[in-house]
């Protein structure tokens, strides 16, 4: 097989991996701070994708342009969910959290089925079929834009957590819950805010993802699982880790599919997961778990 | 009386009561007056992953009554049920329908669910007419009450290759090499398994350079298409579903590869959503599928009825075969003269309907309950519509060859 | 032995159990085939739920990939039958052995390397998915085209090869569920049962007392895996066709843990109550939808989701503990303290 195929596939995997990484970032933020296992993560992205589809089919609004409004809607949804539903579950055992979010996910998926029907919906922007040729490299335009958007949003998030007061407060809650209380932080509100930020992240990711993938109601669970794998691989509590994990998974799957049977390429993801869990459970860039 | 005892008695009474009610309902159910509409249970996946297809098949059910009446066939009382794309639910629903008096069952699109229903039907001695399910084992079990009016994977393959040769002869050109891509699900794998056996006998002008299987849930097929392009094959032979068809087409455009032909032996490439979403980019692919004979009068009637009920929907496999299942039911009921299940099953076995919709001499069943006379067509996408280009007896257009380059389609 | 098992159990509980057993034994005489089919499903979920509960409720390990063992059991027994003509009563030993081996591997990897909590849960999902994709590509077992068991005459009930009417399957399933119930009850009262309780409540204290935590957890995982695989064997011979995409799918894993979680984790009656409740709820909702005339695909699942939500929000320990208390049956050994979390 000519060498440029490998390059093409790797680049494609990298760009897709960046978008996956952003999705995982949202989960990492939620899990790292609020310690809630958000099993409805993929479903929330599906909701964002449907929003993008609806806006596009009604008003021809490009999903990337709609990124901020869609993220805002998901922000609100996340805040309400956390405040209203999830808060009492923070100290409950995992299986209870799991049940809660599984029930929520079930409702979301079927509500979407009723609202939008079972057929796959996509967004056909003017550049949906475009690609850039750079020498032997053919780069898919939609992937390039999505990847760029992912990096931008991630950078924004980094800046938020590092330089703003609220961002630091949230990190404080994650690092030391008791300490945060002692210092007088309104932990409940910060938790809700964090969940909201994580949801906004997933909302932004949805508007990018809809350029790459058509949405159907049962799309969520695959991506929830993928997000978890990436978070664990990259390392909990490390935002760079989430992106790195995403890229790693994206590239590995792509190259694995090229070298072996494409239908088995997900096995590589799980193999990586098992290896990481056993030999470096804190993930590639995570802090060692106490 | 203590609370416990009260509850205990209450529960016991409730359970006994519901059991009794069920039995009573059974006793009443199956006995129907002669001349009454035949109770037909229709099992389709109306929710779950296959919801789109199930709801499409339902359209075939909805337009049937009018046409059956025009043919002078007895009325059918349709009992709709949802298998929820789940084997266990399919089985339970089948039991339920029979318990409520269904005298014949039709369904269920999916091979796994159809197998479960077939077992129930055989056990209960209620005739079961399968509308769509291609897995060969279903009619190899020695069932007496299960009938399939749909080709098996091997039949689809054999016809596909025969039609391809006919097309190559008609256009005077043929690819020397192909790459075979297939979705790794029940249908795709059945086709892939059958292909070696059929290909050796078919004497095709091309070689299969590589076989690429992909995950049915895959959302991104860029790697698969890159791999296919890298083989240097002239044409693309494939078995896919609707979503993959759209994804593959997009990748073909983005990776700047226009094969000599796209030869699809499954669903997807001719479906309404494909045509609508891709517009001009949808033209050209040839699909080898169980189809209707556009020259048969009943086909025209069916087409007209569908156009009236759903103006923007093209007549396709789902509608045709679901309709024919009901046609078989009504025709057998007329000949049997009674709703007795055994009589119905015998009548179905003796079916010989020449005035039908699908391609071939007509509907008749062999000893295993399979309609082995079905023929499959080659259809091509042209300007948002579908034309039949092979076999000659059922054709209504000439093939367009080769595939127009994707980057010149505006 | 019966005295040993029933020692300490309140008499009213025994009377209730006896009454329930009689009703269940007699059910096929009065019930329609449809009802029997539903009951078989209920008992199946009660059985695998009980097996899962052993690992979760007793040893505190959340397994979200239990469909793996169902699938392994089903494929092992089915493959032996299809390719070698070996009947299910022999095949089930192979099924149990292979599931136990896989369970032990997962347990070993997890416990030795200190993987717990949600990480363990994700690990189990990963193994189940790995199996799903792997079996999809395993031609000898049919791959994604599926493995079909040859189906024979239904007129005769053949217990040896598990071919027969639903009534036969009903009694087999009933026996399995009852046996699981008795087994779990016996295990809870045995030494290891108390060790499990100690590990669940406070692993550090247990370790300080000299309990071999690793060994106890492994035993729980192995028993749970083996039990679950038997459910898979029955599944294979009842449905007669297996597809990796369906049997190993994560939705199956979630399906089979709904019962015990709703019913009450860690309790003996929880999985059974949960299974009955959920099936009744599902069928009931379908009925109501039909009766009201709403024919919207997906609406039933929305209501179902809300019901689940309701139970999770208002009955955090499951339905059985408050129900049992209300019926005056008292707490059983193995009940969890309510609201306690595991971090």
């Amino acid at each position: 097989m000519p060498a440029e195929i490998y390059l093409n596939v790797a680049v494609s995997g990298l760009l897709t991996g960046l978008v996956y990484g952003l999705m995982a970032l949202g989960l990492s933020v939620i899990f790292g701070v609020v310690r809630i296992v958000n099993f409805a993560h993929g479903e929330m992205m599906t909701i964002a994708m449907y929003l993008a589809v609806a806006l596009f089919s009604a008003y021809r609004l490009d999903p990337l342009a709609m990124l901020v409004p869609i993220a805002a809607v998901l922000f609100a949804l996340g805040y309400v969910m956390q405040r209203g539903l999830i808060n009492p579950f923070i100290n409950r055992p995992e299986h209870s959290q799991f049940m809660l979010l599984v029930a929520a996910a079930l409702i979301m998926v079927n509500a979407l089925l009723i609202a939008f029907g079972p057929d796959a919906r996509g967004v056909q922007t003017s550049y949906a079929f475009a690609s850039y040729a750079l020498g032997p490299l053919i780069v898919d335009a939609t992937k390039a834009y999505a990847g760029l958007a992912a990096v931008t949003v991630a950078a924004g998030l980094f800046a938020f957590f590092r330089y703003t007061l609220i961002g630091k407060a949230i990190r404080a809650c994650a690092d030391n819950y008791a300490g945060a209380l002692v210092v007088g932080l309104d932990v409940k509100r910060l938790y809700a805010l964090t969940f909201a930020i994580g949801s906004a992240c997933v909302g932004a990711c949805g508007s990018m993802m809809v350029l790459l993938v058509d949405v159907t109601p049962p799309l969520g669970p695959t991506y929830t699982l993928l997000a978890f794998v990436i978070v664990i691989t990259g390392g909990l509590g490390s935002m760079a880790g989430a992106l790195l994990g995403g890229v790693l998974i994206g590239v590995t799957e792509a190259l694995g599919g090229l070298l072996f049977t494409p239908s088995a390429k997900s096995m590589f993801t799980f193999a990586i997961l098992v290896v990481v869990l056993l030999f470096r459970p804190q993930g590639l860039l995570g802090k060692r778990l106490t | 009386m203590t609370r416990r005892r009260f509850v205990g008695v209450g529960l016991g009474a409730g359970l006994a009561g519901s059991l009794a009610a069920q039995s009573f309902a059974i006793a009443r159910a199956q006995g129907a007056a002669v001349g009454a509409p035949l109770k037909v249970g229709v099992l389709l996946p109306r929710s779950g992953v296959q919801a789109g297809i199930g709801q499409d098949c339902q359209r075939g059910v909805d337009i049937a009554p009018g046409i059956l009446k025009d043919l002078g066939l007895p009325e059918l009382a349709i009992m709709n049920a949802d298998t929820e794309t789940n084997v266990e639910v399919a089985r339970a629903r089948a039991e339920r329908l029979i318990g409520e008096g269904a005298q014949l069952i039709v369904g269920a699109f999916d091979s796994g669910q159809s197998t479960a229903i077939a077992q129930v039907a055989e056990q209960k001695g209620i005739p079961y007419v399968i509308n769509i399910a291609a897995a060969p084992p279903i009619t190899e079990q020695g069932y007496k009450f299960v009938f399939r009016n749909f080709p098996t994977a091997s039949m689809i393959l054999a016809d596909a290759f025969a039609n391809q040769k006919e097309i190559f002869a008609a256009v005077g050109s043929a690819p020397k090499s192909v790459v075979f891509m297939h979705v790794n699900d029940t249908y795709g794998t059945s086709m892939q398994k059958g292909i070696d056996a059929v290909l050796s006998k078919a004497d095709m002008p091309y070689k299969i350079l590589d076989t690429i299987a992909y995950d049915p849930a895959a959302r991104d097929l860029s790697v698969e298409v890159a791999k296919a392009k890298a083989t240097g094959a002239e044409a693309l032979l494939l078995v896919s579903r609707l979503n993959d068809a759209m994804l593959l087409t997009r990748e073909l455009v983005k990776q700047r590869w226009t094969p000599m032909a796209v030869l699809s032996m499954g669903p997807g490439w001719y479906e309404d959503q494909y045509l609508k979403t891709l517009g001009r980019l949808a033209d050209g692919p040839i699909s080898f599928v169980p189809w209707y004979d556009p020259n048969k009068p009943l086909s025209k009637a069916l087409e007209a009825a569908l156009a009236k009920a759903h103006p923007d929907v093209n007549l396709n496999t789902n509608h045709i075969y679901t309709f024919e299942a009901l046609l078989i039911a009504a025709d057998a009921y007329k000949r049997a003269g009674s709703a007795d299940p055994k009589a119905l099953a015998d009548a179905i076995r003796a079916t010989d309907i020449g005035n039908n919709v699908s391609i071939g001499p007509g509907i008749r069943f062999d000893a295993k309950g399979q309609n082995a006379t079905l023929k499959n067509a080659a259809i091509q996408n042209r300007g948002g519509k579908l034309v039949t280009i092979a076999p000659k007896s059922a054709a209504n257009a000439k093939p367009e060859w080769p595939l127009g380059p994707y980057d010149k389609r505006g | 032995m019966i005295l040993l098992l029933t020692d300490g159990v309140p008499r009213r509980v025994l009377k209730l159990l006896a009454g329930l057993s009689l009703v269940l034994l007699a059910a096929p005489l009065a019930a329609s085939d449809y009802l029997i089919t539903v009951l078989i499903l209920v008992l199946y979920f009660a059985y695998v739920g009980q097996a899962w509960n052993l690992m979760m409720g007793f040893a505190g390990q959340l397994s979200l990939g239990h469909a793996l063992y169902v699938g392994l059991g089903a494929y092992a027994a089915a493959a032996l039958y299809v390719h070698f003509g070996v009947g299910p009563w022999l095949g089930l030993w192979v099924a149990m052995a292979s599931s136990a081996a896989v369970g032990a591997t997962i347990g070993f990897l997890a416990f030795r390397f200190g993987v717990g909590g949600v990480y363990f849960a994700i690990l189990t999902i990963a193994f189940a998915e790995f199996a799903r994709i792997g079996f999809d590509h395993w031609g000898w077992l049919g791959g994604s085209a599926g493995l079909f068991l040859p189906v024979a005459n239904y007129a005769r009930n053949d217990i040896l090869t598990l071919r027969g009417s639903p009534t036969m399957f009903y009694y087999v399933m009933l026996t399995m569920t009852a046996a699981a119930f008795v087994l779990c009850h016996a295990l809870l009262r045995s030494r290891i049962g108390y060790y499990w309780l100690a590990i669940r409540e406070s692993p550090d204290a247990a370790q300080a007392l000299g309990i071999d935590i690793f060994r106890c957890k492994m035993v729980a995982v192995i028993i749970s895996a083996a039990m679950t695989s038997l459910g898979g064997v029955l599944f294979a011979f009842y449905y007669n066709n297996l597809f990796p995409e369906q049997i190993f799918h994560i939705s199956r894993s979630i399906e089979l843990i709904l019962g015990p979680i709703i019913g009450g984790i860690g309790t003996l009656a929880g999985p059974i109550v949960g299974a009955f409740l959920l099936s009744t709820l599902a069928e009931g909702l379908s009925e109501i939808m039909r009766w009201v005339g709403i024919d919207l695909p997906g609406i039933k699942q929305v209501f179902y989701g809300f019901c689940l939500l309701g139970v999770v929000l208002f009955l955090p320990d499951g339905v059985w503990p408050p129900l049992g208390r209300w019926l005056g049956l008292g707490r059983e050994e193995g009940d969890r303290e309510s609201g306690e979390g595991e971090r």
Side-chain angles (χ1 to χ4, degrees):
Chain A
M1 229 178 285
E4 60 237 28
I5 301 286
Y6 292 100
L7 191 60
N8 271 317
V9 165
V11 167
S12 170
L14 177 89
L15 291 170
T16 322
L18 285 173
V19 181
Y20 290 160
L22 183 65
M23 176 179 59
L25 201 57
L27 188 71
S28 182
V29 165
I30 293 176
F31 190 33
V33 176
V34 189
R35 311 299 299 199
I36 279 278
V37 186
N38 187 13
F39 282 100
H41 201 71
E43 277 75 10
M44 291 169 76
M45 188 178 78
T46 313
I47 293 179
M49 288 171 81
Y50 269 114
L51 268 174
V53 166
L55 286 170
F56 186 81
S57 53
Y59 305 113
R60 310 292 305 186
L61 292 166
D62 187 300
L64 285 181
M66 285 293 105
L67 196 138
V68 175
I70 292 178
V73 170
L74 265 288
F75 182 93
L77 177 67
Y79 195 91
V80 165
M81 264 180 78
Q82 215 287 355
R83 214 64 207 263
L85 203 61
I86 299 177
N87 214 18
F89 279 77
I90 296 178
N91 291 317
R92 301 255 197 105
E94 279 102 20
H95 60 87
S96 294
Q97 297 177 5
F98 177 71
M99 262 327 298
L100 176 75
L101 288 155
V102 161
L106 188 65
I107 296 172
M108 284 181 205
V109 170
N110 284 287
L112 287 172
L113 177 68
I114 294 173
F116 291 97
D119 295 326
R121 309 272 270 220
V123 159
Q124 289 230 133
T125 54
S126 50
Y127 50 86
F129 292 98
S131 52
Y132 297 116
L134 306 159
L137 203 61
I138 300 181
V139 177
D140 181 349
T142 50
K143 284 206 177 125
Y145 295 147
L148 208 62
V151 172
T152 316
V153 173
L157 217 60
F158 281 3
F160 172 79
F161 278 112
R162 188 164 271 266
Y163 300 118
T164 64
L165 214 56
I166 299 185
K168 290 189 199 166
I170 292 177
R171 277 164 55 211
C173 284
D175 285 339
N176 193 333
Y177 177 71
L181 279 175
V182 163
V183 169
L185 295 175
D186 182 352
V187 178
K188 260 214 176 110
R189 194 178 76 95
L190 286 172
Y191 274 0
L193 208 59
T194 313
F195 201 92
I197 292 175
S199 311
C201 213
V202 109
C205 185
S207 11
M208 294 168 217
M209 195 62 99
V210 82
L211 290 171
L212 307 178
V213 157
D214 286 346
V215 62
T216 53
L219 190 66
T222 325
Y223 287 101
T224 307
L225 189 57
L226 190 64
F228 271 107
V229 172
I230 295 174
V231 165
I232 294 175
T233 309
L236 198 60
S238 163
M239 292 198 274
L243 279 183
L244 182 67
V247 168
L248 181 68
I249 299 281
V251 173
T252 317
E253 270 206 359
L255 288 175
L258 190 63
L259 294 168
F260 303 99
T261 323
S263 46
K265 64 185 178 194
S266 310
M267 285 176 99
F268 289 99
T269 313
F270 295 117
I272 292 180
L273 175 71
V274 173
V275 167
V276 167
L277 271 177
L278 297 180
F279 298 112
R280 203 182 156 85
Q282 73 269 34
L284 293 169
L285 294 181
K287 302 178 284 255
R288 184 156 270 282
L289 303 167
T290 44
Chain B
M1 200 188 236
T2 68
R3 191 172 51 190
R4 257 177 286 124
R5 284 217 201 99
F6 178 71
V7 170
V9 170
L11 281 173
L15 188 61
S18 77
L19 291 178
Q22 290 275 359
S23 324
F24 183 60
I26 300 283
R28 253 188 324 157
Q30 237 95 18
V34 178
L38 183 70
K39 295 203 194 115
V40 177
V42 176
L43 278 161
L44 293 168
R46 299 161 87 232
S47 63
V49 181
Q50 291 168 340
I53 302 169
Q55 292 180 21
D56 198 26
C57 291
Q58 187 64 35
R59 296 195 186 111
V61 176
D62 296 336
I63 59 175
I67 302 181
L68 292 177
K69 195 160 153 210
D70 287 340
L71 289 171
L73 289 170
E75 211 188 311
L76 302 174
I78 308 278
M79 302 156 72
N80 286 316
D82 180 7
T83 65
E84 296 178 22
T85 318
N86 181 310
V87 176
E88 284 136 17
V89 176
R91 194 185 180 123
R93 292 277 167 264
E95 291 268 13
R96 180 89 205 230
L97 284 173
I98 296 177
E100 288 168 357
Q103 292 149 332
L104 190 143
I105 306 271
V106 163
F109 177 76
D110 174 274
S111 291
Q113 292 148 44
S114 300
T115 310
I117 299 170
Q119 290 175 52
V120 174
E122 184 72 12
Q123 251 177 342
K124 293 295 166 60
I126 300 281
Y128 172 42
V129 180
I130 299 178
N131 64 335
I132 299 173
I138 300 179
T139 38
E140 299 293 325
Q141 304 284 350
Y143 288 144
K144 296 273 167 283
F145 285 87
V146 176
F147 302 92
R148 169 164 49 185
N149 180 41
F150 193 77
T152 61
S154 21
M155 285 165 71
I156 298 178
L157 277 169
D159 282 351
F161 291 126
N163 284 333
Q164 280 174 34
K165 285 207 281 199
E166 203 185 291
I167 295 173
F168 297 155
V171 299
S173 128
K176 289 197 255 324
S177 58
V178 298
V179 57
F180 177 51
M181 295 181 75
H182 72 94
V183 58
N184 203 41
D185 68 0
T186 316
Y187 181 61
T189 319
S190 307
M191 295 292 276
Q192 186 260 324
K193 276 194 191 162
I195 219 177
D196 295 320
V198 181
L199 204 55
S200 54
K201 288 189 231 129
D203 188 32
M204 298 302 287
Y206 53 70
K207 275 199 331 230
I208 297 185
L209 294 181
D210 199 5
T211 303
I212 301 175
Y214 60 87
D215 187 356
R219 298 287 147 187
D220 178 351
L221 292 172
S222 49
V223 174
E224 286 79 355
V225 173
K227 214 170 165 180
K229 186 178 170 189
T231 61
E234 288 185 342
L236 195 53
L237 181 70
L238 37 73
V239 177
S240 75
R241 298 250 170 228
L242 175 61
N243 292 323
D244 337 325
M246 298 199 290
L247 283 175
L248 286 169
T249 310
R250 285 202 207 124
E251 286 300 324
L252 287 174
V253 176
K254 287 198 263 215
Q255 295 191 27
R256 309 181 184 197
W257 180 37
T258 305
M260 188 193 274
V262 170
L263 306 167
S264 158
M265 301 188 291
W269 297 79
Y270 59 84
E271 292 186 43
D272 290 327
Q273 210 184 344
Y274 181 83
L275 298 170
K276 237 187 298 231
T277 314
L278 292 169
R280 257 187 286 226
L281 292 168
D283 285 342
I286 302 174
S287 303
F288 299 91
V289 285
W291 203 244
Y292 64 93
D293 185 336
N295 302 323
K296 286 193 183 176
L298 197 56
S299 304
K300 303 203 174 106
L302 195 64
E303 235 175 334
L306 185 69
K308 211 163 120 193
H310 302 279
D312 51 353
V313 174
N314 286 325
L315 188 63
N316 68 26
T317 317
N318 297 332
H319 315 132
I320 297 160
Y321 284 90
T322 311
F323 167 75
E324 281 203 342
L326 293 174
L327 177 66
I328 294 167
D331 175 78
Y333 185 39
K334 186 170 176 190
R335 282 180 291 113
S338 96
D340 170 51
K342 188 127 195 330
L344 277 173
D346 289 335
I348 297 178
R349 206 165 293 119
T351 301
D352 189 358
I353 304 178
N355 181 18
N356 70 327
V357 180
S358 53
I359 303 177
I363 307 178
R364 46 184 91 111
F365 296 104
D366 62 14
K368 292 188 195 160
Q370 171 73 39
N371 181 355
T373 67
L374 285 165
K375 285 260 157 273
N376 301 293
I379 58 177
Q380 190 168 36
N381 303 353
R382 206 167 290 180
K385 293 264 165 242
L386 302 163
V387 295
T388 312
I389 58 178
K392 236 178 290 212
S393 55
N396 63 1
K398 286 217 182 336
E400 254 171 26
W401 184 279
L403 196 63
Y406 281 118
D407 46 356
K408 298 219 174 30
R409 294 198 196 183
Chain C
M1 190 170 79
I2 298 194
L3 266 175
L4 260 174
L5 284 173
T6 57
D7 172 43
V9 181
R11 251 216 302 217
R12 41 182 118 97
V13 173
L14 287 174
K15 278 201 273 190
L16 186 68
L17 280 175
L20 194 63
S21 315
L22 270 168
V23 171
L24 287 173
L25 276 169
L29 297 171
S32 67
D33 268 347
Y34 166 64
L35 199 60
I36 297 185
T37 309
V38 172
L39 282 173
I40 293 178
L41 267 180
V42 170
L43 288 172
Y44 169 80
F45 281 114
Y47 176 78
V48 292
Q50 190 74 276
W52 178 85
N53 189 25
L54 207 145
M55 203 160 121
M56 175 71 223
F58 303 164
Q61 304 301 313
L62 177 62
S63 165
L64 293 178
H66 239 61
L68 171 67
Y69 307 119
V70 175
L72 283 176
Y75 267 101
L80 285 171
Y81 186 67
V82 168
H83 290 297
F84 304 116
V86 175
W89 296 99
L90 286 174
L92 66 84
W93 297 105
V94 177
M96 285 208 291
S98 42
S99 289
V102 172
T105 313
I106 297 179
F108 179 81
L109 290 175
F111 305 145
R112 263 289 165 261
F113 289 90
V115 180
V118 74
Y119 295 96
F120 180 76
I122 304 277
L123 189 70
T124 57
I125 297 180
F127 273 96
E129 286 289 289
F130 204 87
R132 179 178 66 81
I133 302 173
F135 274 73
D136 248 352
H137 291 84
W138 196 343
W140 189 67
L141 290 175
S144 50
L147 187 63
F148 285 79
L149 276 76
V151 177
N153 191 349
Y154 280 102
R156 297 178 36 237
N157 280 338
D158 184 1
I159 280 255
L160 267 155
T161 51
L162 280 183
R163 317 264 95 204
S165 62
T167 313
M168 184 196 80
F169 281 102
Y170 173 79
Y171 282 117
V172 173
M173 199 71 243
L174 184 62
T175 315
M176 281 169 73
T177 311
F181 187 80
V182 170
L183 176 70
C184 287
H185 176 70
L187 279 173
L188 276 179
R189 308 178 123 222
S190 68
R191 177 168 295 182
I192 196 161
Y194 284 103
Y195 288 168
W196 283 335
L197 187 61
I199 295 174
R200 203 178 74 202
E201 299 301 320
S202 173
D204 293 325
Q207 196 154 36
L209 279 171
I211 298 176
D212 186 347
I213 297 196
F214 177 75
R215 204 179 73 97
C216 292
K217 281 187 181 177
M218 286 291 274
V219 169
V221 171
I222 290 174
I223 297 181
S224 176
M227 268 177 79
T228 312
S229 68
L230 284 184
V233 172
L234 195 86
F235 186 96
F237 283 84
Y238 181 52
Y239 284 104
N240 292 303
N241 63 341
L242 301 172
F243 299 95
E245 200 54 42
Q246 291 173 358
I247 206 167
F248 288 108
H249 202 259
I250 193 171
S251 55
R252 289 316 183 106
S253 295
I254 295 181
E255 222 175 22
L256 65 90
I257 72 175
L258 285 183
I261 293 184
I262 296 288
I265 289 202
T267 62
L268 273 183
I272 301 177
V273 169
F276 269 96
L277 213 62
L278 286 175
S279 293
T280 315
L281 183 65
E283 291 298 314
L285 282 173
S286 292
E287 273 312 292
I288 295 177
M289 290 296 122
R290 264 176 18 143
W291 187 67
V292 176
I294 300 177
D295 190 21
L296 205 54
I299 190 97
K300 181 197 105 170
Q301 286 92 327
V302 172
F303 284 118
Y304 190 76
F306 275 112
C307 290
L308 288 180
L309 208 58
V311 172
V312 176
L313 286 173
F314 301 116
L315 293 170
D317 284 327
V319 171
W320 175 247
L323 182 65
R325 272 194 293 274
W326 185 70
L327 284 175
L329 294 173
R331 278 179 51 191
E332 305 170 42
E333 321 90 283
D335 265 20
R336 289 194 83 122
E337 307 284 348
S338 46
E340 213 167 351
E342 262 187 352
R343 288 301 204 157

